[in-house]
Structure formats: structure tokens, C-alpha cells
Amino acid sequence: EPEVTQTPSHQVTQMGQEVILRCVPISNHLYFYWYRQILGQKVEFLVSFYNNEISEKSEIFDDQFSVERPDGSNFTLKIRSTKLEDSAMYFCASGDLATFFGSGTQLSVL
Amino acid sequence: GENVEQHPSTLSVQEGDSAVIKCTYSDSASNYFPWYKQELGKRPQLIIDIRSNVGEKKDQRIAVTLNKTAKHFSLHITETQPEDSAVYFCAASMAFGNEKLTFGTGTRLTIIP
């Protein structure tokens, strides 16, 4: 069964550093998403991406965040200058008739 | 925007008994309602979903019901087993697969052997 894959599984960074989280969506899906989950809380929508552009973004997705689909398979989330409160599990997802999630990247900002 | 409420936040049931988790949503334009199971440290896994033109859907021991008039939907798990222990999230969306999901706050289900 096809799966959304994410790398790395864990990322530790210093406050103020840039991080790039990587995702390979399911190959025939056209809609891509980033969500995050702070420990013990619900999953929150960050951004959706379709046809090589952002289709919707949440209030969380401020100017420090950006997304890119640099080639036909990868989908990346960049956080330009990380803050302590960016520490969370970041899930990539892709969808066609339903939405499927990757295994996540645990980001720890120290 | 959409707001999804979920109850209860924790639920413990004896193995073999049934478990029911309830969600309400606020936006009447929502028409797709998936349920995800999340084991500790793992990805949310889609277990069942329902679209607004259907009132009930069943898949083996799992069923979901939807009441569009009242704007609520429920997950029913029958004959519970220890492997059903996990956090369950409901969600709502304007469409399936191509619109963002708004999640409920989750229910931690514990099956007591």
C-alpha cells in the first residue's frame, strides 16, 4: 500500500536556525498538506498546496514558514528562524478521495 | 471557521464491550467526516469516513453515524479488543481529500482486558 514518507523522523535544532522538513506524498495525489501536533494536543492544519501553489494557510503559517515542491516527488516545509514554540510533531499529508498522513517529523527547538 | 468538539476526552471500556465517541461540528457546509486512530508516537491512521449523503457506514467492528441536521457524528466500536487502545480523532472537511481537515481534540480509548 502506498504511503506518505517523511524525513527526518527527528530533528533537533537551536532557536533561530532554519530547518527543512521533507516529504514524499503518495504518487498520484494532487493535494498536499502540512499539519502539526503539539504533544498531547490535537492535529492542527498549517497549509495546503495544489497545482504548485498554496491554496490555503492557517494563522500559524506566518512569514517564517514556506512550502515548496522542488521536483515531481518531494514536498518540503521550511521554517526560516525556529522558535521554541515551533517544537511539535509535523505531519505531511496527501489526498485524493481521502487524506493520508506520513509518520511525522518530531521537531525539537532548544 | 469550522470548530469540532469531541467527547469524551478519555474512555475506558472492558474488553468485548462497545465504545462510542461523539463529535459535533459548527459549519453546515462540512460534508466529509473521517475518523483517525493514532497510536503513541505514530501517524494518524484513517479508519473510517462518511460523506454527508450517507447516514451510516459500517466496516466490520467499526461504524460511523452522521446526523447532518443536528451537526453531529459518532464512532461506534463493537467487541472491543486490546489493540483498539489508542487516541481517536474525528475531523470535518468541506470535501474529501482536497480540503483541509479540522480535527477534534481526541479521545484516549483504553480497553481493559
Side-chain angles (χ1 to χ4, degrees):
Chain A
E1 183 178 317
E3 285 189 341
V4 177
T5 57
Q6 287 185 245
T7 55
S9 56
H10 293 85
Q11 175 89 52
V12 180
T13 190
Q14 295 291 324
M15 191 169 57
Q17 294 296 302
E18 174 184 286
V19 294
I20 297 176
L21 310 184
R22 302 180 191 280
C23 169
V24 178
I26 295 173
S27 62
N28 61 340
H29 288 181
L30 299 177
Y31 300 89
F32 313 120
Y33 308 88
W34 284 99
Y35 290 82
R36 80 172 187 190
Q37 186 178 34
I38 295 170
L39 185 64
Q41 298 186 21
K42 67 178 175 180
V43 178
E44 298 176 288
F45 168 76
L46 292 178
V47 65
S48 57
F49 192 86
Y50 170 71
N51 202 25
N52 283 320
E53 60 183 28
I54 291 173
S55 48
E56 188 173 357
K57 58 184 179 180
S58 72
E59 292 175 353
I60 303 167
F61 194 89
D62 62 22
D63 292 344
Q64 296 300 315
F65 291 86
S66 62
V67 289
E68 196 176 42
R69 188 156 163 82
D71 53 42
S73 59
N74 292 287
F75 180 50
T76 62
L77 174 69
K78 182 193 290 186
I79 309 175
R80 187 163 50 217
S81 177
T82 49
K83 303 188 282 280
L84 295 176
E85 54 265 36
D86 293 330
S87 294
M89 178 74 90
Y90 288 80
F91 290 105
C92 175
S94 68
D96 57 352
L97 299 179
T99 302
F100 298 92
F101 286 79
S103 51
T105 294
Q106 180 66 56
L107 177 65
S108 298
V109 182
L110 306 179
Chain B
E2 175 67 280
N3 183 49
V4 178
E5 303 272 345
Q6 183 171 348
H7 300 281
S9 57
T10 61
L11 179 62
S12 295
V13 300
Q14 289 290 139
E15 183 178 352
D17 287 351
S18 296
V20 180
I21 303 170
K22 299 183 180 183
C23 289
T24 60
Y25 61 98
S26 60
D27 192 337
S28 56
S30 290
N31 59 17
Y32 173 63
F33 307 94
W35 286 88
Y36 288 84
K37 175 183 180 182
Q38 188 178 32
E39 296 173 19
L40 189 62
K42 302 273 183 76
R43 75 184 78 195
Q45 202 155 20
L46 178 67
I47 55 171
I48 195 167
D49 57 13
I50 191 166
R51 290 157 173 76
S52 62
N53 57 344
V54 174
E56 184 173 354
K57 183 177 177 181
K58 192 172 180 181
D59 183 3
Q60 299 183 337
R61 297 186 296 108
I62 295 173
V64 58
T65 58
L66 171 65
N67 183 328
K68 280 225 80 177
T69 304
K71 294 203 282 249
H72 66 71
F73 57 111
S74 301
L75 178 71
H76 305 251
I77 306 174
T78 58
E79 300 170 23
T80 52
Q81 300 167 3
E83 53 264 37
D84 295 329
S85 294
V87 178
Y88 291 80
F89 290 96
C90 63
S93 177
M94 302 291 180
F96 43 92
N98 59 0
E99 288 285 342
K100 69 176 183 186
L101 297 170
T102 300
F103 282 84
T105 47
T107 296
R108 180 172 300 280
L109 175 64
T110 302
I111 307 301
I112 304 165

